[in-house]
């Protein structure tokens, strides 16, 4: 069956194929006797098993029901399509979580199939963007950056962006694994509309904060990478940068923004004042032999302790 995954997702799959040397499969799942379908990208490691490459937050999954205003019909269609999808996942095998995007809220097909389920959280903002509804602390920081002469530009100066990312990596002790050539590759593949990069500059022209946002569909943009130089953290430049990017996305008709994670207390604290809705997303994993044995032992121990009560 012909795959009709959106062009931006096809280009994103190609970036991952080249960057991480992984296999990509563009998938279309359709239940028998129905026009409802689901499209996804499966990333496969060197062993041909499902995995999620670095710099990806979710496995792309797009569900397209048939036109209907009956919620029970949509649920039935989703359950039928999800069943086809999870059977393919079982066939591919996996020792890692398959991360469903926040838009997929009904994970019962995986529960019924005996998958392990876990939940994480992100913040999502709906556009049009409303700066007047921001936390007062965010507003004060934006005003501080403006008063000190910092300005934000939408730019493809990847050398400036890389400076900000590298200093953040050094300060926090991790690596984005994103080189200047990687950024250029992603921009060339995705284009202006889907790959958006912003830099905040001091009045002397020094790059002090930068971020890149992906727009793989018009419904919701994804916060990909962000970095700020330590000497400028207290000047409000990160907040000014985000504010500028939100206004740019909103003016172009993008439906919203996903901060892509809020699972560490400090990260959640930094993202929550932007007024986004705390939103769960689900990780599903096929139970292997070890997991089945562990579950069995836990059940036996439970029954020994509570079975006679």
């Amino acid at each position: 069956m012909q795959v009709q995954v959106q062009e931006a997702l096809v280009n994103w799959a190609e970036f991952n194929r080249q960057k991480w040397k992984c296999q990509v499969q563009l998938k279309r799942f359709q239940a028998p006797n129905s026009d409802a379908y689901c499209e996804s990208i499966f990333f496969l490691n060197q062993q041909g098993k499902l995995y999620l490459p670095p710099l990806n937050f979710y496995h792309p999954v797009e569900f397209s029901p048939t036109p209907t205003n009956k919620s029970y019909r949509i649920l039935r269609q989703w359950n039928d399509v999800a069943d086809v999808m999870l059977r393919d996942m079982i066939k591919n095998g996996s020792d890692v979580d398959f991360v469903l995007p926040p838009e997929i809220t009904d994970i019962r097909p995986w529960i019924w199939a005996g998958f392990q389920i876990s939940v994480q959280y992100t913040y999502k903002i709906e556009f049009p963007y409303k700066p007047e509804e921001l936390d007062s602390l965010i507003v004060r920081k934006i005003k501080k950056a403006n008063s000190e002469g910092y300005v934000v530009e939408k730019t493809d100066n990847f050398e400036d962006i890389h400076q900000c990312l590298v200093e953040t990596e050094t300060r926090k002790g991790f690596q984005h694994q994103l080189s200047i050539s990687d950024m250029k590759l992603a921009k060339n593949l995705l284009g202006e509309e889907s790959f958006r990069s912003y830099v905040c500059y001091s009045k002397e022209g020094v790059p002090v904060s930068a971020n890149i946002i992906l727009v793989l569909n018009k419904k919701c943009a994804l916060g990909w990478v962000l970095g700020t130089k330590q000497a400028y953290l207290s000047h409000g430049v990160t907040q000014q940068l985000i504010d500028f990017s939100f206004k740019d996305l909103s003016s172009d008709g993008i439906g919203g923004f996903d901060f892509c994670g809020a699972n560490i207390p400090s990260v959640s604290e930094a993202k929550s004042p932007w007024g986004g809705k705390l939103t769960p997303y689900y990780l599903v994993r096929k139970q292997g032999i070890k997991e089945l044995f562990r579950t069995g032992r836990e059940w036996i121990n439970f029954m020994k302790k509570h079975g006679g009560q």
Side-chain angles (χ1 to χ4, degrees), residues 101-132:
E103 294 75 26
I104 304 300
T105 58
D106 183 359
I107 59 165
R108 292 174 302 166
W110 284 271
I111 296 174
W112 295 333
F115 277 59
Q116 291 181 297
I117 310 295
S118 58
V119 61
Q120 293 194 351
Y121 292 88
T122 186
Y123 283 106
K124 294 185 69 176
I125 294 176
E126 291 186 359
F127 292 155
Y129 176 52
K130 300 175 181 178
E132 65 274 10

PDB file of all heavy atoms in Angstrom, residues 101-132:
ATOM      1  N   PRO A 101       3.497  10.011  20.675  1.00  0.00           N
ATOM      2  CA  PRO A 101       3.374  11.451  20.883  1.00  0.00           C
ATOM      3  C   PRO A 101       2.160  11.781  21.743  1.00  0.00           C
ATOM      4  O   PRO A 101       1.233  10.958  21.877  1.00  0.00           O
ATOM      5  CB  PRO A 101       3.218  11.997  19.457  1.00  0.00           C
ATOM      6  CG  PRO A 101       2.661  10.858  18.667  1.00  0.00           C
ATOM      7  CD  PRO A 101       3.242   9.616  19.271  1.00  0.00           C
ATOM      8  N   PRO A 102       2.113  12.968  22.354  1.00  0.00           N
ATOM      9  CA  PRO A 102       1.013  13.324  23.260  1.00  0.00           C
ATOM     10  C   PRO A 102      -0.368  13.269  22.616  1.00  0.00           C
ATOM     11  O   PRO A 102      -1.367  13.132  23.326  1.00  0.00           O
ATOM     12  CB  PRO A 102       1.359  14.761  23.681  1.00  0.00           C
ATOM     13  CG  PRO A 102       2.829  14.883  23.476  1.00  0.00           C
ATOM     14  CD  PRO A 102       3.145  14.025  22.299  1.00  0.00           C
ATOM     15  N   GLU A 103      -0.423  13.374  21.285  1.00  0.00           N
ATOM     16  CA  GLU A 103      -1.714  13.329  20.606  1.00  0.00           C
ATOM     17  C   GLU A 103      -2.381  11.951  20.708  1.00  0.00           C
ATOM     18  O   GLU A 103      -3.601  11.837  20.551  1.00  0.00           O
ATOM     19  CB  GLU A 103      -1.549  13.704  19.133  1.00  0.00           C
ATOM     20  CG  GLU A 103      -1.126  15.144  18.877  1.00  0.00           C
ATOM     21  CD  GLU A 103       0.334  15.395  19.189  1.00  0.00           C
ATOM     22  OE1 GLU A 103       1.145  14.443  19.126  1.00  0.00           O
ATOM     23  OE2 GLU A 103       0.680  16.559  19.526  1.00  0.00           O
ATOM     24  N   ILE A 104      -1.597  10.928  20.973  1.00  0.00           N
ATOM     25  CA  ILE A 104      -2.140   9.575  21.115  1.00  0.00           C
ATOM     26  C   ILE A 104      -2.463   9.349  22.590  1.00  0.00           C
ATOM     27  O   ILE A 104      -1.573   9.115  23.409  1.00  0.00           O
ATOM     28  CB  ILE A 104      -1.156   8.509  20.603  1.00  0.00           C
ATOM     29  CG1 ILE A 104      -0.769   8.798  19.143  1.00  0.00           C
ATOM     30  CG2 ILE A 104      -1.758   7.123  20.748  1.00  0.00           C
ATOM     31  CD1 ILE A 104      -1.934   8.812  18.178  1.00  0.00           C
ATOM     32  N   THR A 105      -3.743   9.450  22.925  1.00  0.00           N
ATOM     33  CA  THR A 105      -4.161   9.378  24.324  1.00  0.00           C
ATOM     34  C   THR A 105      -4.752   8.033  24.707  1.00  0.00           C
ATOM     35  O   THR A 105      -4.844   7.715  25.889  1.00  0.00           O
ATOM     36  CB  THR A 105      -5.191  10.477  24.628  1.00  0.00           C
ATOM     37  OG1 THR A 105      -6.317  10.320  23.752  1.00  0.00           O
ATOM     38  CG2 THR A 105      -4.586  11.863  24.418  1.00  0.00           C
ATOM     39  N   ASP A 106      -5.186   7.247  23.751  1.00  0.00           N
ATOM     40  CA  ASP A 106      -5.797   5.943  24.032  1.00  0.00           C
ATOM     41  C   ASP A 106      -4.777   4.844  23.762  1.00  0.00           C
ATOM     42  O   ASP A 106      -4.514   4.473  22.619  1.00  0.00           O
ATOM     43  CB  ASP A 106      -7.035   5.754  23.157  1.00  0.00           C
ATOM     44  CG  ASP A 106      -7.769   4.445  23.454  1.00  0.00           C
ATOM     45  OD1 ASP A 106      -7.304   3.687  24.334  1.00  0.00           O
ATOM     46  OD2 ASP A 106      -8.798   4.174  22.800  1.00  0.00           O
ATOM     47  N   ILE A 107      -4.193   4.330  24.836  1.00  0.00           N
ATOM     48  CA  ILE A 107      -3.155   3.297  24.683  1.00  0.00           C
ATOM     49  C   ILE A 107      -3.670   1.929  25.118  1.00  0.00           C
ATOM     50  O   ILE A 107      -2.892   1.001  25.322  1.00  0.00           O
ATOM     51  CB  ILE A 107      -1.890   3.662  25.485  1.00  0.00           C
ATOM     52  CG1 ILE A 107      -2.230   3.812  26.976  1.00  0.00           C
ATOM     53  CG2 ILE A 107      -1.251   4.927  24.952  1.00  0.00           C
ATOM     54  CD1 ILE A 107      -1.006   3.817  27.862  1.00  0.00           C
ATOM     55  N   ARG A 108      -4.974   1.795  25.237  1.00  0.00           N
ATOM     56  CA  ARG A 108      -5.536   0.516  25.671  1.00  0.00           C
ATOM     57  C   ARG A 108      -5.171  -0.660  24.764  1.00  0.00           C
ATOM     58  O   ARG A 108      -4.958  -1.770  25.281  1.00  0.00           O
ATOM     59  CB  ARG A 108      -7.054   0.644  25.785  1.00  0.00           C
ATOM     60  CG  ARG A 108      -7.502   1.562  26.933  1.00  0.00           C
ATOM     61  CD  ARG A 108      -9.001   1.757  26.902  1.00  0.00           C
ATOM     62  NE  ARG A 108      -9.432   2.319  25.624  1.00  0.00           N
ATOM     63  CZ  ARG A 108     -10.699   2.340  25.216  1.00  0.00           C
ATOM     64  NH1 ARG A 108     -11.649   1.825  25.980  1.00  0.00           N
ATOM     65  NH2 ARG A 108     -11.020   2.885  24.049  1.00  0.00           N
ATOM     66  N   PRO A 109      -5.053  -0.474  23.428  1.00  0.00           N
ATOM     67  CA  PRO A 109      -4.646  -1.633  22.613  1.00  0.00           C
ATOM     68  C   PRO A 109      -3.326  -2.245  23.061  1.00  0.00           C
ATOM     69  O   PRO A 109      -3.164  -3.473  23.030  1.00  0.00           O
ATOM     70  CB  PRO A 109      -4.556  -1.043  21.202  1.00  0.00           C
ATOM     71  CG  PRO A 109      -5.559   0.069  21.202  1.00  0.00           C
ATOM     72  CD  PRO A 109      -5.440   0.676  22.578  1.00  0.00           C
ATOM     73  N   TRP A 110      -2.382  -1.410  23.524  1.00  0.00           N
ATOM     74  CA  TRP A 110      -1.096  -1.940  23.994  1.00  0.00           C
ATOM     75  C   TRP A 110      -1.253  -2.594  25.370  1.00  0.00           C
ATOM     76  O   TRP A 110      -0.606  -3.583  25.658  1.00  0.00           O
ATOM     77  CB  TRP A 110      -0.060  -0.818  24.032  1.00  0.00           C
ATOM     78  CG  TRP A 110       0.449  -0.460  22.678  1.00  0.00           C
ATOM     79  CD1 TRP A 110       1.506  -1.008  22.007  1.00  0.00           C
ATOM     80  CD2 TRP A 110      -0.108   0.511  21.782  1.00  0.00           C
ATOM     81  NE1 TRP A 110       1.657  -0.440  20.768  1.00  0.00           N
ATOM     82  CE2 TRP A 110       0.674   0.505  20.595  1.00  0.00           C
ATOM     83  CE3 TRP A 110      -1.177   1.399  21.859  1.00  0.00           C
ATOM     84  CZ2 TRP A 110       0.417   1.337  19.517  1.00  0.00           C
ATOM     85  CZ3 TRP A 110      -1.444   2.235  20.782  1.00  0.00           C
ATOM     86  CH2 TRP A 110      -0.654   2.190  19.618  1.00  0.00           C
ATOM     87  N   ILE A 111      -2.110  -2.014  26.202  1.00  0.00           N
ATOM     88  CA  ILE A 111      -2.375  -2.630  27.502  1.00  0.00           C
ATOM     89  C   ILE A 111      -2.999  -4.009  27.311  1.00  0.00           C
ATOM     90  O   ILE A 111      -2.583  -4.996  27.932  1.00  0.00           O
ATOM     91  CB  ILE A 111      -3.302  -1.731  28.346  1.00  0.00           C
ATOM     92  CG1 ILE A 111      -2.604  -0.400  28.674  1.00  0.00           C
ATOM     93  CG2 ILE A 111      -3.728  -2.440  29.626  1.00  0.00           C
ATOM     94  CD1 ILE A 111      -3.498   0.604  29.383  1.00  0.00           C
ATOM     95  N   TRP A 112      -3.987  -4.092  26.423  1.00  0.00           N
ATOM     96  CA  TRP A 112      -4.669  -5.363  26.175  1.00  0.00           C
ATOM     97  C   TRP A 112      -3.724  -6.403  25.575  1.00  0.00           C
ATOM     98  O   TRP A 112      -3.915  -7.600  25.776  1.00  0.00           O
ATOM     99  CB  TRP A 112      -5.853  -5.132  25.229  1.00  0.00           C
ATOM    100  CG  TRP A 112      -6.924  -4.260  25.825  1.00  0.00           C
ATOM    101  CD1 TRP A 112      -7.210  -4.107  27.147  1.00  0.00           C
ATOM    102  CD2 TRP A 112      -7.836  -3.418  25.114  1.00  0.00           C
ATOM    103  NE1 TRP A 112      -8.244  -3.210  27.317  1.00  0.00           N
ATOM    104  CE2 TRP A 112      -8.658  -2.773  26.089  1.00  0.00           C
ATOM    105  CE3 TRP A 112      -8.053  -3.122  23.769  1.00  0.00           C
ATOM    106  CZ2 TRP A 112      -9.667  -1.869  25.743  1.00  0.00           C
ATOM    107  CZ3 TRP A 112      -9.063  -2.221  23.434  1.00  0.00           C
ATOM    108  CH2 TRP A 112      -9.855  -1.614  24.403  1.00  0.00           C
ATOM    109  N   ALA A 113      -2.702  -5.920  24.855  1.00  0.00           N
ATOM    110  CA  ALA A 113      -1.750  -6.847  24.238  1.00  0.00           C
ATOM    111  C   ALA A 113      -0.612  -7.231  25.184  1.00  0.00           C
ATOM    112  O   ALA A 113       0.295  -7.962  24.790  1.00  0.00           O
ATOM    113  CB  ALA A 113      -1.171  -6.223  22.966  1.00  0.00           C
ATOM    114  N   GLY A 114      -0.658  -6.743  26.430  1.00  0.00           N
ATOM    115  CA  GLY A 114       0.335  -7.135  27.423  1.00  0.00           C
ATOM    116  C   GLY A 114       1.623  -6.348  27.392  1.00  0.00           C
ATOM    117  O   GLY A 114       2.628  -6.777  27.974  1.00  0.00           O
ATOM    118  N   PHE A 115       1.636  -5.179  26.739  1.00  0.00           N
ATOM    119  CA  PHE A 115       2.835  -4.341  26.710  1.00  0.00           C
ATOM    120  C   PHE A 115       3.046  -3.695  28.082  1.00  0.00           C
ATOM    121  O   PHE A 115       2.094  -3.448  28.832  1.00  0.00           O
ATOM    122  CB  PHE A 115       2.696  -3.243  25.661  1.00  0.00           C
ATOM    123  CG  PHE A 115       3.031  -3.668  24.256  1.00  0.00           C
ATOM    124  CD1 PHE A 115       2.346  -4.702  23.641  1.00  0.00           C
ATOM    125  CD2 PHE A 115       4.022  -3.018  23.532  1.00  0.00           C
ATOM    126  CE1 PHE A 115       2.639  -5.092  22.343  1.00  0.00           C
ATOM    127  CE2 PHE A 115       4.328  -3.396  22.239  1.00  0.00           C
ATOM    128  CZ  PHE A 115       3.638  -4.438  21.644  1.00  0.00           C
ATOM    129  N   GLN A 116       4.312  -3.395  28.384  1.00  0.00           N
ATOM    130  CA  GLN A 116       4.614  -2.570  29.543  1.00  0.00           C
ATOM    131  C   GLN A 116       4.309  -1.119  29.195  1.00  0.00           C
ATOM    132  O   GLN A 116       4.641  -0.646  28.096  1.00  0.00           O
ATOM    133  CB  GLN A 116       6.082  -2.700  29.939  1.00  0.00           C
ATOM    134  CG  GLN A 116       6.468  -4.049  30.508  1.00  0.00           C
ATOM    135  CD  GLN A 116       7.931  -4.079  30.899  1.00  0.00           C
ATOM    136  OE1 GLN A 116       8.804  -3.931  30.037  1.00  0.00           O
ATOM    137  NE2 GLN A 116       8.206  -4.251  32.170  1.00  0.00           N
ATOM    138  N   ILE A 117       3.721  -0.396  30.137  1.00  0.00           N
ATOM    139  CA  ILE A 117       3.319   0.988  29.899  1.00  0.00           C
ATOM    140  C   ILE A 117       3.955   1.892  30.949  1.00  0.00           C
ATOM    141  O   ILE A 117       3.955   1.567  32.138  1.00  0.00           O
ATOM    142  CB  ILE A 117       1.786   1.146  29.967  1.00  0.00           C
ATOM    143  CG1 ILE A 117       1.087   0.106  29.091  1.00  0.00           C
ATOM    144  CG2 ILE A 117       1.377   2.570  29.589  1.00  0.00           C
ATOM    145  CD1 ILE A 117       1.340   0.238  27.618  1.00  0.00           C
ATOM    146  N   SER A 118       4.487   3.019  30.527  1.00  0.00           N
ATOM    147  CA  SER A 118       4.923   4.049  31.463  1.00  0.00           C
ATOM    148  C   SER A 118       4.516   5.415  30.910  1.00  0.00           C
ATOM    149  O   SER A 118       4.215   5.550  29.724  1.00  0.00           O
ATOM    150  CB  SER A 118       6.439   3.992  31.698  1.00  0.00           C
ATOM    151  OG  SER A 118       7.147   4.131  30.485  1.00  0.00           O
ATOM    152  N   VAL A 119       4.494   6.402  31.781  1.00  0.00           N
ATOM    153  CA  VAL A 119       4.008   7.719  31.383  1.00  0.00           C
ATOM    154  C   VAL A 119       5.042   8.778  31.734  1.00  0.00           C
ATOM    155  O   VAL A 119       5.733   8.688  32.753  1.00  0.00           O
ATOM    156  CB  VAL A 119       2.653   8.035  32.067  1.00  0.00           C
ATOM    157  CG1 VAL A 119       2.796   8.035  33.581  1.00  0.00           C
ATOM    158  CG2 VAL A 119       2.104   9.379  31.596  1.00  0.00           C
ATOM    159  N   GLN A 120       5.175   9.765  30.851  1.00  0.00           N
ATOM    160  CA  GLN A 120       5.983  10.941  31.123  1.00  0.00           C
ATOM    161  C   GLN A 120       5.158  12.172  30.758  1.00  0.00           C
ATOM    162  O   GLN A 120       4.021  12.056  30.311  1.00  0.00           O
ATOM    163  CB  GLN A 120       7.315  10.885  30.360  1.00  0.00           C
ATOM    164  CG  GLN A 120       8.221   9.772  30.852  1.00  0.00           C
ATOM    165  CD  GLN A 120       9.653   9.890  30.355  1.00  0.00           C
ATOM    166  OE1 GLN A 120       9.976  10.699  29.501  1.00  0.00           O
ATOM    167  NE2 GLN A 120      10.523   9.052  30.899  1.00  0.00           N
ATOM    168  N   TYR A 121       5.756  13.359  30.939  1.00  0.00           N
ATOM    169  CA  TYR A 121       4.982  14.581  30.772  1.00  0.00           C
ATOM    170  C   TYR A 121       5.732  15.641  29.983  1.00  0.00           C
ATOM    171  O   TYR A 121       6.973  15.671  29.966  1.00  0.00           O
ATOM    172  CB  TYR A 121       4.597  15.164  32.144  1.00  0.00           C
ATOM    173  CG  TYR A 121       3.615  14.307  32.894  1.00  0.00           C
ATOM    174  CD1 TYR A 121       4.053  13.280  33.720  1.00  0.00           C
ATOM    175  CD2 TYR A 121       2.248  14.507  32.755  1.00  0.00           C
ATOM    176  CE1 TYR A 121       3.154  12.471  34.400  1.00  0.00           C
ATOM    177  CE2 TYR A 121       1.338  13.713  33.429  1.00  0.00           C
ATOM    178  CZ  TYR A 121       1.794  12.704  34.246  1.00  0.00           C
ATOM    179  OH  TYR A 121       0.896  11.902  34.905  1.00  0.00           O
ATOM    180  N   THR A 122       4.957  16.494  29.338  1.00  0.00           N
ATOM    181  CA  THR A 122       5.493  17.651  28.649  1.00  0.00           C
ATOM    182  C   THR A 122       4.537  18.814  28.849  1.00  0.00           C
ATOM    183  O   THR A 122       3.420  18.631  29.350  1.00  0.00           O
ATOM    184  CB  THR A 122       5.688  17.370  27.145  1.00  0.00           C
ATOM    185  OG1 THR A 122       6.344  18.485  26.532  1.00  0.00           O
ATOM    186  CG2 THR A 122       4.357  17.144  26.446  1.00  0.00           C
ATOM    187  N   TYR A 123       4.969  20.008  28.493  1.00  0.00           N
ATOM    188  CA  TYR A 123       4.081  21.170  28.476  1.00  0.00           C
ATOM    189  C   TYR A 123       3.777  21.542  27.033  1.00  0.00           C
ATOM    190  O   TYR A 123       4.679  21.631  26.193  1.00  0.00           O
ATOM    191  CB  TYR A 123       4.730  22.370  29.176  1.00  0.00           C
ATOM    192  CG  TYR A 123       4.709  22.291  30.687  1.00  0.00           C
ATOM    193  CD1 TYR A 123       5.860  21.994  31.406  1.00  0.00           C
ATOM    194  CD2 TYR A 123       3.527  22.527  31.392  1.00  0.00           C
ATOM    195  CE1 TYR A 123       5.846  21.915  32.787  1.00  0.00           C
ATOM    196  CE2 TYR A 123       3.497  22.449  32.777  1.00  0.00           C
ATOM    197  CZ  TYR A 123       4.658  22.155  33.470  1.00  0.00           C
ATOM    198  OH  TYR A 123       4.637  22.072  34.841  1.00  0.00           O
ATOM    199  N   LYS A 124       2.484  21.771  26.753  1.00  0.00           N
ATOM    200  CA  LYS A 124       2.063  22.167  25.415  1.00  0.00           C
ATOM    201  C   LYS A 124       1.300  23.490  25.489  1.00  0.00           C
ATOM    202  O   LYS A 124       0.441  23.676  26.355  1.00  0.00           O
ATOM    203  CB  LYS A 124       1.185  21.091  24.778  1.00  0.00           C
ATOM    204  CG  LYS A 124       1.907  19.776  24.505  1.00  0.00           C
ATOM    205  CD  LYS A 124       1.031  18.796  23.768  1.00  0.00           C
ATOM    206  CE  LYS A 124       0.762  19.262  22.347  1.00  0.00           C
ATOM    207  NZ  LYS A 124      -0.018  18.263  21.578  1.00  0.00           N
ATOM    208  N   ILE A 125       1.652  24.391  24.572  1.00  0.00           N
ATOM    209  CA  ILE A 125       1.013  25.703  24.495  1.00  0.00           C
ATOM    210  C   ILE A 125       0.176  25.776  23.238  1.00  0.00           C
ATOM    211  O   ILE A 125       0.626  25.366  22.161  1.00  0.00           O
ATOM    212  CB  ILE A 125       2.075  26.827  24.489  1.00  0.00           C
ATOM    213  CG1 ILE A 125       2.821  26.859  25.821  1.00  0.00           C
ATOM    214  CG2 ILE A 125       1.437  28.181  24.210  1.00  0.00           C
ATOM    215  CD1 ILE A 125       3.942  27.876  25.860  1.00  0.00           C
ATOM    216  N   GLU A 126      -1.030  26.291  23.367  1.00  0.00           N
ATOM    217  CA  GLU A 126      -1.880  26.500  22.205  1.00  0.00           C
ATOM    218  C   GLU A 126      -1.698  27.919  21.682  1.00  0.00           C
ATOM    219  O   GLU A 126      -1.593  28.872  22.457  1.00  0.00           O
ATOM    220  CB  GLU A 126      -3.353  26.267  22.562  1.00  0.00           C
ATOM    221  CG  GLU A 126      -3.689  24.814  22.872  1.00  0.00           C
ATOM    222  CD  GLU A 126      -5.180  24.601  23.083  1.00  0.00           C
ATOM    223  OE1 GLU A 126      -5.941  25.593  23.010  1.00  0.00           O
ATOM    224  OE2 GLU A 126      -5.580  23.453  23.314  1.00  0.00           O
ATOM    225  N   PHE A 127      -1.630  28.051  20.365  1.00  0.00           N
ATOM    226  CA  PHE A 127      -1.575  29.364  19.722  1.00  0.00           C
ATOM    227  C   PHE A 127      -2.954  29.700  19.164  1.00  0.00           C
ATOM    228  O   PHE A 127      -3.759  28.791  18.915  1.00  0.00           O
ATOM    229  CB  PHE A 127      -0.527  29.351  18.601  1.00  0.00           C
ATOM    230  CG  PHE A 127       0.895  29.220  19.084  1.00  0.00           C
ATOM    231  CD1 PHE A 127       1.876  28.686  18.250  1.00  0.00           C
ATOM    232  CD2 PHE A 127       1.264  29.597  20.357  1.00  0.00           C
ATOM    233  CE1 PHE A 127       3.190  28.550  18.677  1.00  0.00           C
ATOM    234  CE2 PHE A 127       2.569  29.473  20.801  1.00  0.00           C
ATOM    235  CZ  PHE A 127       3.534  28.954  19.951  1.00  0.00           C
ATOM    236  N   PRO A 128      -3.324  30.970  18.985  1.00  0.00           N
ATOM    237  CA  PRO A 128      -2.433  32.126  18.973  1.00  0.00           C
ATOM    238  C   PRO A 128      -1.803  32.416  20.344  1.00  0.00           C
ATOM    239  O   PRO A 128      -2.445  32.253  21.371  1.00  0.00           O
ATOM    240  CB  PRO A 128      -3.334  33.276  18.522  1.00  0.00           C
ATOM    241  CG  PRO A 128      -4.723  32.818  18.719  1.00  0.00           C
ATOM    242  CD  PRO A 128      -4.714  31.347  18.628  1.00  0.00           C
ATOM    243  N   TYR A 129      -0.564  32.826  20.272  1.00  0.00           N
ATOM    244  CA  TYR A 129       0.246  33.118  21.450  1.00  0.00           C
ATOM    245  C   TYR A 129      -0.297  34.364  22.141  1.00  0.00           C
ATOM    246  O   TYR A 129      -0.612  35.362  21.502  1.00  0.00           O
ATOM    247  CB  TYR A 129       1.693  33.321  21.002  1.00  0.00           C
ATOM    248  CG  TYR A 129       2.659  33.718  22.087  1.00  0.00           C
ATOM    249  CD1 TYR A 129       2.760  33.002  23.277  1.00  0.00           C
ATOM    250  CD2 TYR A 129       3.520  34.804  21.887  1.00  0.00           C
ATOM    251  CE1 TYR A 129       3.675  33.358  24.250  1.00  0.00           C
ATOM    252  CE2 TYR A 129       4.451  35.161  22.848  1.00  0.00           C
ATOM    253  CZ  TYR A 129       4.516  34.440  24.030  1.00  0.00           C
ATOM    254  OH  TYR A 129       5.419  34.789  24.992  1.00  0.00           O
ATOM    255  N   LYS A 130      -0.388  34.303  23.483  1.00  0.00           N
ATOM    256  CA  LYS A 130      -0.943  35.402  24.271  1.00  0.00           C
ATOM    257  C   LYS A 130       0.054  35.822  25.344  1.00  0.00           C
ATOM    258  O   LYS A 130       0.009  35.326  26.474  1.00  0.00           O
ATOM    259  CB  LYS A 130      -2.266  34.976  24.895  1.00  0.00           C
ATOM    260  CG  LYS A 130      -3.329  34.585  23.873  1.00  0.00           C
ATOM    261  CD  LYS A 130      -4.586  34.060  24.547  1.00  0.00           C
ATOM    262  CE  LYS A 130      -5.621  33.643  23.511  1.00  0.00           C
ATOM    263  NZ  LYS A 130      -6.845  33.069  24.140  1.00  0.00           N
ATOM    264  N   PRO A 131       0.982  36.733  25.003  1.00  0.00           N
ATOM    265  CA  PRO A 131       2.005  37.151  25.969  1.00  0.00           C
ATOM    266  C   PRO A 131       1.420  37.748  27.246  1.00  0.00           C
ATOM    267  O   PRO A 131       2.055  37.684  28.311  1.00  0.00           O
ATOM    268  CB  PRO A 131       2.808  38.206  25.190  1.00  0.00           C
ATOM    269  CG  PRO A 131       2.532  37.921  23.756  1.00  0.00           C
ATOM    270  CD  PRO A 131       1.143  37.396  23.700  1.00  0.00           C
ATOM    271  N   GLU A 132       0.217  38.312  27.149  1.00  0.00           N
ATOM    272  CA  GLU A 132      -0.385  38.946  28.335  1.00  0.00           C
ATOM    273  C   GLU A 132      -0.768  37.926  29.404  1.00  0.00           C
ATOM    274  O   GLU A 132      -1.043  38.296  30.555  1.00  0.00           O
ATOM    275  CB  GLU A 132      -1.627  39.750  27.926  1.00  0.00           C
ATOM    276  CG  GLU A 132      -2.784  38.928  27.386  1.00  0.00           C
ATOM    277  CD  GLU A 132      -2.683  38.641  25.891  1.00  0.00           C
ATOM    278  OE1 GLU A 132      -1.609  38.929  25.302  1.00  0.00           O
ATOM    279  OE2 GLU A 132      -3.658  38.152  25.324  1.00  0.00           O
TER     280      GLU A 132
END
